[in-house]
Amino acid sequence: MSDKRVYSNNPRVLAVQTLAKIKNGAYSNLQLNQVIKQHQLGEADKRLLTTLVYGVIQHRLTFEYWLAPFVGDKKLNPWVRELLYTALFQMQYLNKIPQHAIFNESIEVAKILGHVGTAKFVTAILHNISRQGLPDTAAIADPIARLSVEASLPIWLINELVAQNGEAATRALVATINDAPMQSVRVNTVLATDEEVVASLAAENMTATPSQVADHAYIVSGGHVASSTAYQKGWLTLQDESAMLPVESMHLTPAVKNVLDAAAAPGGKTTQIAALVADDAQILALDVHPHKIKLIEKNATRLQVADRIATQVLDARKVPTEVATKFDRILVDAPCSGFGLLRRKPEIRYDKTLEDVQNLARLQGEILDSVSQNVAENGMIVYSTCTILRQENDDVIAQFLAKHPEFELVKTQTAHDLKADRQEAVLHIYPNDYHTDGFFVATLKKKSGTNA
């Protein structure tokens, strides 16, 4: 951060300050929300602030490559680097702001957060960039290194994606990961019909387009859904379309009476289950953190399905010793690296390592092993993650089946029968498939006559 204690409502100043804090470990969405709450900003300034923060995070490795020849081995104050990145982002990705305005505003930010010398340095860098142009990534000979810079993804992740999907598929995948996420909602069918929700949103000048991915789901444009009457009434909840697929895959029928959501916070899928089961069914929702249990309860109360949901602070790996119930359905929406969420949480790409992925895969396997002991005869486990790496997906399932012959992998089926012609039983959703979050869903059925 700048050495100066500066309070400003200038969105560019706030963007630089926010980015410097995020670089020090703060979460982008939490930090951004906090800044917006603490400052009096108009809607246009909120949009600019948000765009600058997410844009710089998404393209950080590209900016690092572009800036390198202009700064050489000079040691930059972190906030100065973030300021130059915001200028590069505006120059390259925002076509409505003239270059002279970007330069003037950036130099002004340098004066506010630094001093005259800093402003002169920033001025010199920007004018050199304008005169010389930015270095071309085509000069990077190694195709993996080049794609890493172009997509702003670490080399280890590019290597994994290419090894698992091939170079052409990886290029198609990463081409969409910096697109803005869409605002999608799920209708709470306990309280309202799809038609009522669409009409309510339309009355507030919002357009709801039916999802091609999930049932009772809509893409909403033209307004802020969380401020809508339908949201306040509990008629809908914000949820990515692909995040609705694991629950669709559980085949919840009136005969299903006991359901376990083994890693349930913040409760999006728990409340989706509650909307689909019979009135006399019971759902047990677990999380290891008490404050996250409160989130589940808050969501369940808002959507008026709390009577069907019991919550418990519990590590899912302790289910066999702490929970006596045999469940008809178990959802393991496992803790994962989250690489399917790069549009929403762009800093994930820089925080996680291959070792983190391997450690998470072990945890995921332990959770599956544990909860499998509480599956009723002919019951099912649906395993899902919001990552696109096979170590946490296909490999976890293969290892589970090798240890548990009492289970069989059956084809994952969704309401819209996505990827119906695929050869594999599991369902991979990549961000470029439907412009949703990346997700993985596997369906495991317990064979009859195998009850412990």
Side-chain angles (χ1 to χ4, degrees), residues 22-77:
I22 292 167
K23 199 77 173 65
N24 289 332
Y27 289 111
S28 60
N29 57 337
L30 300 179
Q31 188 61 40
L32 198 54
N33 289 339
Q34 186 179 332
V35 169
I36 288 170
K37 281 180 185 174
Q38 290 172 347
H39 294 81
Q40 301 297 315
L41 300 175
E43 287 305 314
D45 283 348
K46 284 180 192 175
R47 282 195 299 274
L48 178 59
L49 168 61
T50 302
T51 300
L52 290 176
V53 169
Y54 279 110
V56 169
I57 297 171
Q58 287 172 330
H59 300 283
R60 186 175 294 283
L61 297 184
T62 312
F63 297 151
E64 189 177 287
Y65 175 78
W66 282 342
L67 193 59
F70 299 99
V71 298
D73 57 3
K74 290 186 183 73
K75 186 170 174 57
L76 298 188
N77 191 310

Side-chain angles (χ1 to χ4, degrees), residues 262-263 315-320 330-335 360-373 381 383 400:
D315 185 323
R317 292 173 293 181
K318 296 181 180 176
V319 163
I330 295 180
L331 174 63
V332 177
D333 186 45
L360 283 162
R362 278 192 290 274
L363 170 62
Q364 292 151 358
E366 289 168 5
I367 292 172
L368 268 182
D369 287 340
S370 168
V371 302
S372 69
Q373 298 176 56
I381 303 174
Y383 173 84
F400 174 80

Side-chain angles (χ1 to χ4, degrees), residues 204-218:
E204 296 178 43
N205 300 314
M206 284 179 252
T207 302
T209 305
S211 169
Q212 302 302 303
V213 176
D215 218 8
H216 302 297
Y218 291 84

Side-chain angles (χ1 to χ4, degrees), residues 149-196:
V149 169
E150 290 170 349
S152 199
L153 292 173
I155 285 177
W156 76 262
L157 182 55
I158 295 287
N159 276 326
E160 288 300 316
L161 291 173
V162 169
Q164 295 174 17
N165 304 287
E167 189 172 338
T170 298
R171 285 189 175 279
L173 190 162
V174 302
T176 65
I177 60 160
N178 291 326
D179 293 349
M182 293 185 287
Q183 189 174 220
S184 58
V185 302
R186 173 175 56 80
V187 174
N188 179 20
T189 53
V190 172
L191 298 181
T193 64
D194 287 27
E195 293 74 18
E196 286 172 327

Side-chain angles (χ1 to χ4, degrees), residues 37 40 90 93 112 138 149 153 155 181 238 275 316 318 332 337 374 390 401 408 447:
K37 281 180 185 174
Q40 301 297 315
Q90 292 170 84
Y93 297 100
I112 293 169
V149 169
L153 292 173
I155 285 177
L238 285 157
K318 296 181 180 176
V332 177
S337 59
N374 285 64
R390 289 179 180 262
L401 289 170
E408 60 182 332
K447 299 172 186 175

Side-chain angles (χ1 to χ4, degrees), residues 45-351:
D45 283 348
K46 284 180 192 175
R47 282 195 299 274
L48 178 59
L49 168 61
T50 302
T51 300
L52 290 176
V53 169
Y54 279 110
V56 169
I57 297 171
Q58 287 172 330
H59 300 283
R60 186 175 294 283
L61 297 184
T62 312
F63 297 151
E64 189 177 287
Y65 175 78
W66 282 342
L67 193 59
F70 299 99
V71 298
D73 57 3
K74 290 186 183 73
K75 186 170 174 57
L76 298 188
N77 191 310
W79 73 263
V80 176
R81 186 175 291 276
E82 301 302 328
L83 171 58
L84 290 168
Y85 286 174
T86 63
L88 285 171
F89 175 71
Q90 292 170 84
M91 289 163 66
Q92 295 300 115
Y93 297 100
L94 299 185
N95 54 18
K96 292 182 180 176
I97 307 176
Q99 182 172 289
H100 68 85
I102 295 168
F103 282 20
N104 291 341
E105 293 286 355
S106 300
I107 293 162
E108 186 60 30
V109 173
K111 289 176 184 174
I112 293 169
L113 291 176
H115 46 72
V116 174
T118 317
K120 285 181 178 176
F121 174 76
V122 169
T123 302
I125 294 287
L126 293 176
H127 284 294
N128 284 341
I129 288 171
S130 181
R131 280 194 299 271
Q132 298 172 32
L134 295 169
D136 193 339
T137 55
I140 305 172
D142 181 345
I144 297 295
R146 184 166 60 251
L147 186 53
S148 168
V149 169
E150 290 170 349
S152 199
L153 292 173
I155 285 177
W156 76 262
L157 182 55
I158 295 287
N159 276 326
E160 288 300 316
L161 291 173
V162 169
Q164 295 174 17
N165 304 287
E167 189 172 338
T170 298
R171 285 189 175 279
L173 190 162
V174 302
T176 65
I177 60 160
N178 291 326
D179 293 349
M182 293 185 287
Q183 189 174 220
S184 58
V185 302
R186 173 175 56 80
V187 174
N188 179 20
T189 53
V190 172
L191 298 181
T193 64
D194 287 27
E195 293 74 18
E196 286 172 327
V197 168
V198 170
S200 178
L201 292 171
E204 296 178 43
N205 300 314
M206 284 179 252
T207 302
T209 305
S211 169
Q212 302 302 303
V213 176
D215 218 8
H216 302 297
Y218 291 84
I219 306 298
V220 181
S221 58
H224 186 242
V225 169
S227 304
S228 68
T229 302
Y231 184 90
Q232 304 303 328
K233 286 181 176 178
W235 285 10
L236 58 78
T237 191
L238 285 157
Q239 191 174 10
D240 188 77
E241 296 162 275
S242 59
M244 304 177 202
L245 300 177
V247 173
E248 286 189 1
S249 308
M250 292 175 75
H251 303 289
L252 296 166
T253 67
V256 172
K257 300 302 180 189
N258 286 304
V259 182
L260 174 66
D261 190 348
K269 296 178 187 67
T270 318
T271 55
Q272 186 181 359
I273 293 168
L276 294 173
V277 294
D279 290 343
D280 60 344
Q282 268 298 304
I283 304 157
L284 177 60
L286 309 180
D287 198 273
V288 72
H289 301 291
H291 70 279
K292 290 189 175 181
I293 288 289
K294 287 187 172 65
L295 286 177
I296 301 167
E297 292 169 347
K298 184 178 177 182
N299 274 324
T301 300
R302 186 179 71 81
L303 299 173
Q304 296 183 38
V305 291
D307 57 325
R308 304 175 193 187
I309 299 168
T311 58
Q312 186 174 344
V313 178
L314 185 66
D315 185 323
R317 292 173 293 181
K318 296 181 180 176
V319 163
T321 56
E322 300 293 327
V323 179
T325 309
K326 297 287 185 184
F327 296 95
D328 304 313
R329 299 286 188 274
I330 295 180
L331 174 63
V332 177
D333 186 45
C336 73
S337 59
F339 283 118
L341 307 178
L342 287 172
R343 289 178 185 147
R344 299 178 193 281
K345 299 180 178 178
E347 69 272 20
I348 287 172
R349 69 189 80 192
Y350 312 115
D351 296 343

